[in-house]
Amino acid sequence: MIKKVTLLSILISLLTSCGVFIKLDQPDEEIVFKKDLTKLICPIKKDELILTTASSANQGLFKDRLEIAAKKHNLKAIDIFVMWAIIQIYIRPNKVSPGSSLQFVDTDKTSPFYINYNLKINKDPNLLFNSLKDLLKRYRSKRSLQYLSRIVDDILPYQTSVDHELSLFLSQNRAPLSKNSSLEKFYFKGDQVLRTGEGLRTFKIWPLVSQAAYKKNSANTHLFSYQIDKDKVANCNFDMRIYQNAVYLINQTEGVNSHPFSISFKGSTFLGISAQVPDIQKNYHNSYSFTPSDLGEQNAVCFIKTKNSNFSLISTKGRDSGQHLFNMIEYNLAHASSVDEVLTILEFPRYLFLLNPERMIYESDRSSEAQTQTFLNTSFPIYHKSNLGNVWIHYQKHNQKTLLIDDRIPSYRSCLL
């Protein structure tokens, strides 16, 4: 059993001229901040559809309509995932488009699966569509992407509500958006861009799917194995040993172009991460979906297998998404024996090492004075940040499955409604 973690003892030792490494102990101190953590937990039930997406708006309408469609068309879990992925184009058009990249995670405990289509060699204006076609084929679905896109068109509302995140993006890019008449008719009301809570008129997705030429794109399923303990192993899409050698994979875009979402249905839980750098002045025909100027960054994914439990983790925000997962494993995440213990580690104050110059970013708002002072006593440059990263965890122990959603960015979770 793992104890509640804290940073009462930190040993900082210079390993190379360009980095540092922290070792953390875990004594018996309670976490220092109090809030309703139950809102971060989604218990998964086989007979219930659970949807999540990184959005501050209530997307409950889609759950109701997807449930009806699933029953009417006898859809499998992979079909619902594909439809939910398409719907993200309407929820987060700056990060998800027909050409955005996709990372896919299947949390199945007996054979977890990861595939990454976010490869720079993929020059496909319909990369997301063709990635979804590939998933349907891999999972032997009886439904085509065209068939599922028609269902999406059937269940789409006339308009969706602009959430705070999309409103902020529109406000920041008002000038270039106004130069594109096709985008202006969707995103503007008079001379002003749409604001939080206002309606964004939807468009038909089937015409875009039907006109998208099929292309076989490259994909990567490779994972690096990392032995945690005798009976505990992590398999990640990055080599965790780099952090032991003080090598940090700094992403200058800070992961702002990544968008996570997931579905749980009929015993399966699939997680997706879409990403793109949008070309603000270009869009797909008859839509408000931005074409990508770049596929965005690859995000960190890990599977942890122990004797009695399984973890699937995705990290989708920050300058080094892998470092967050590495630190959580250093906190002994693999030793957690209950949902509460997993949640404690998910909520624990995070830190991140950055280079050029060497410095550490720390969530001091989430720590006690003693914890923060311990860091300050090292004389290492430390800077405060309110929120670091965004980690989602699928945790399974025996037959109990739970999805734990980070509260560091807004998210919609249908299990709360």
Side-chain angles (χ1 to χ4, degrees):
M1 178 173 292
I2 192 171
K3 299 179 180 179
K4 294 209 172 186
V5 294
T6 187
L7 300 181
L8 290 183
S9 176
I10 302 173
L11 301 176
I12 296 184
S13 58
L14 291 174
L15 295 182
T16 68
S17 61
C18 64
V20 292
F21 176 70
I22 284 187
K23 181 177 177 62
L24 301 103
D25 295 335
Q26 283 119 25
D28 282 327
E29 185 175 327
E30 293 288 325
I31 205 158
V32 299
F33 49 91
K34 298 293 181 182
K35 53 186 171 181
D36 185 5
L37 300 180
T38 59
K39 292 183 178 180
L40 310 183
I41 301 173
C42 278
I44 296 172
K45 301 175 183 178
K46 190 173 182 178
D47 58 349
E48 180 183 0
L49 171 63
I50 294 177
L51 303 174
T52 70
T53 184
S55 170
S56 58
N58 184 349
Q59 308 294 341
L61 174 67
F62 289 114
K63 179 188 177 182
D64 297 337
R65 296 188 179 190
L66 282 171
E67 285 179 326
I68 294 171
K71 185 175 181 179
K72 178 180 178 181
H73 297 272
N74 192 25
L75 301 179
K76 298 169 59 176
I78 192 62
D79 303 325
I80 297 296
F81 174 84
V82 166
M83 292 171 65
W84 188 228
I86 292 173
I87 290 170
Q88 303 310 302
I89 294 174
Y90 301 93
I91 296 173
R92 189 64 66 239
N94 53 317
K95 298 182 181 182
V96 190
S97 78
S100 59
S101 64
L102 178 69
Q103 292 174 256
F104 173 81
V105 174
D106 182 345
T107 65
D108 186 277
K109 73 171 184 177
T110 56
S111 56
F113 175 68
Y114 166 74
I115 188 166
N116 176 28
Y117 301 93
N118 186 347
L119 304 176
K120 299 302 181 184
I121 59 173
N122 288 333
K123 308 295 184 183
D124 182 1
N126 297 294
L127 178 59
L128 177 66
F129 286 166
N130 285 321
S131 300
L132 295 176
K133 289 178 183 177
D134 185 55
L135 287 175
L136 290 170
K137 183 178 179 180
R138 287 175 182 269
Y139 281 79
R140 298 180 180 178
S141 171
K142 296 179 180 179
R143 309 302 182 188
S144 68
L145 187 65
Q146 287 202 34
Y147 184 95
L148 296 174
S149 67
R150 283 189 178 276
I151 302 177
V152 171
D153 281 340
D154 288 341
I155 68 175
L156 274 176
Y158 173 74
Q159 62 182 20
T160 60
S161 178
V162 175
D163 63 15
H164 173 72
E165 297 75 40
L166 180 56
S167 174
L168 182 61
F169 169 81
L170 297 177
S171 177
Q172 292 172 339
N173 294 279
R174 182 184 180 281
L177 287 172
S178 66
K179 297 177 182 179
N180 183 325
S181 59
S182 297
L183 290 172
E184 188 178 30
K185 71 179 182 181
F186 285 108
Y187 288 126
F188 279 73
K189 181 182 287 186
D191 293 331
Q192 298 299 318
V193 291
L194 297 178
R195 294 175 293 185
T196 303
E198 293 186 322
L200 175 59
R201 180 164 52 88
T202 55
F203 55 89
K204 297 296 184 182
I205 199 68
W206 178 81
L208 290 178
V209 172
S210 64
Q211 296 166 19
Y214 177 72
K215 183 177 182 180
K216 179 67 175 178
N217 290 294
S218 298
N220 182 16
T221 61
H222 178 72
L223 297 171
F224 296 87
S225 183
Y226 179 81
Q227 197 71 38
I228 301 172
D229 279 338
K230 182 179 179 181
D231 60 347
K232 299 177 179 66
V233 63
N235 289 289
C236 303
N237 65 344
F238 61 96
D239 191 345
M240 291 210 300
R241 290 169 293 187
I242 64 173
Y243 297 112
Q244 293 177 322
N245 295 317
V247 177
Y248 307 112
L249 304 176
I250 306 304
N251 175 5
Q252 298 301 324
T253 65
E254 302 189 17
V256 297
N257 299 304
S258 300
H259 176 70
F261 57 96
S262 76
I263 68 104
S264 296
F265 186 61
K266 294 184 177 180
S268 296
T269 296
F270 302 140
L271 300 109
I273 310 169
S274 186
Q276 72 170 21
V277 178
D279 188 330
I280 306 299
Q281 295 187 16
K282 294 183 180 179
N283 60 294
Y284 288 85
H285 184 63
N286 287 336
S287 79
Y288 54 75
S289 182
F290 297 97
T291 61
S293 62
D294 186 84
L295 293 182
E297 59 285 329
Q298 175 180 302
N299 292 269
V301 172
C302 282
F303 299 103
I304 302 175
K305 184 174 181 60
T306 76
K307 184 177 180 180
N308 298 313
S309 59
N310 294 271
F311 304 79
S312 302
L313 302 93
I314 62 172
S315 179
T316 61
K317 184 174 178 291
R319 297 190 185 184
D320 188 351
S321 62
Q323 194 176 153
H324 292 308
L325 298 190
F326 172 78
N327 289 341
M328 293 177 75
I329 291 173
E330 288 292 292
Y331 295 163
N332 281 340
L333 175 65
H335 292 265
S337 59
S338 70
V339 171
D340 287 344
E341 291 175 355
V342 177
L343 183 58
T344 297
I345 296 176
L346 180 64
E347 283 293 285
F348 198 73
R350 293 177 187 157
Y351 65 89
L352 190 68
F353 278 119
L354 301 175
L355 303 176
N356 301 318
E358 294 177 356
R359 63 205 187 279
M360 187 177 77
I361 312 297
Y362 182 51
E363 290 181 333
S364 57
D365 283 352
R366 292 176 177 250
S367 70
S368 67
E369 283 189 28
Q371 292 170 343
T372 302
Q373 190 59 48
T374 305
F375 274 115
L376 295 174
N377 289 343
T378 66
S379 298
F380 192 81
I382 297 173
Y383 298 87
H384 163 73
K385 192 170 179 65
S386 298
N387 292 311
L388 284 174
N390 178 45
V391 177
W392 292 8
I393 303 175
H394 180 271
Y395 171 62
Q396 179 169 2
K397 183 178 181 182
H398 306 306
N399 292 325
Q400 181 188 22
K401 299 179 181 179
T402 308
L403 191 62
L404 298 96
I405 304 294
D406 211 333
D407 67 341
R408 288 169 172 85
I409 70 167
S411 61
Y412 160 77
R413 305 174 293 283
S414 66
C415 59
L416 300 180
L417 301 178

